[in-house]
Every structure is written in C-alpha cells, then in structure tokens.
Amino acid sequence: ALTIQVLLRSVDDGRTDVGLTTDDHRLPAIAAYLKCGFEPEPWHESHPERWRKVYQELAGIGNKPLGRRAKD
C-alpha cells in the first residue's frame, strides 16, 4: 500500500520516472516491487548475476529478462 501511495504522489507531482533501491537479500520487498511493475536496471557488472540469483530464489519468476525500471 505504501509503494502505491508513493507512486500516486509521484504522478501527482508530475514525475515520469521513479526508481528505488534495495538489497538483494530483501526478497519479499523485491517481490512486491516486481508486482508493482518495477524492473531491475543493472548498472554494475555484478548485477546481472545477482539478479539471476534473486529470480531463482523467487518462486515463479524464473529467467525474466533484465529491463528498465517502471515508468508511469
């Protein structure tokens, strides 16, 4: 609910691009962010492999391709 409120406020403020950060061990948070439409934006060489491991740990997500973060 909090994530949705932040996104709605961002739209009200005229923002068109919203990003967030978290640690890869925070699997419940990552699952919630993915359900809201956020996608990884890997900027470090270690990120693709780290995201593959995260996806393996999250049931039902599998080998989803890496993309850009969610936009409104």
Side-chain angles (χ1 to χ4, degrees):
L2 179 61
T3 302
I4 298 301
Q5 289 301 313
V6 170
L7 291 173
L8 291 173
R9 175 66 184 264
S10 297
V11 170
D12 288 345
D13 289 346
R15 298 180 193 274
T16 59
D17 191 39
V18 178
L20 57 86
T21 60
T22 191
D23 294 310
D24 43 359
H25 68 272
R26 298 189 65 227
L27 296 177
I30 292 170
Y33 301 145
L34 292 170
K35 287 180 183 178
C36 287
F38 284 92
E39 294 181 1
E41 187 174 84
W43 53 266
H44 187 270
E45 65 185 29
S46 69
H47 289 177
E49 179 59 26
R50 288 169 66 184
W51 275 105
R52 273 189 277 286
K53 289 178 182 178
V54 167
Y55 285 135
Q56 287 174 350
E57 293 184 43
L58 293 173
I61 293 180
N63 294 319
K64 184 176 177 181
L66 297 174
R68 303 231 359 120
R69 61 185 155 204
K71 294 187 179 187
D72 71 343

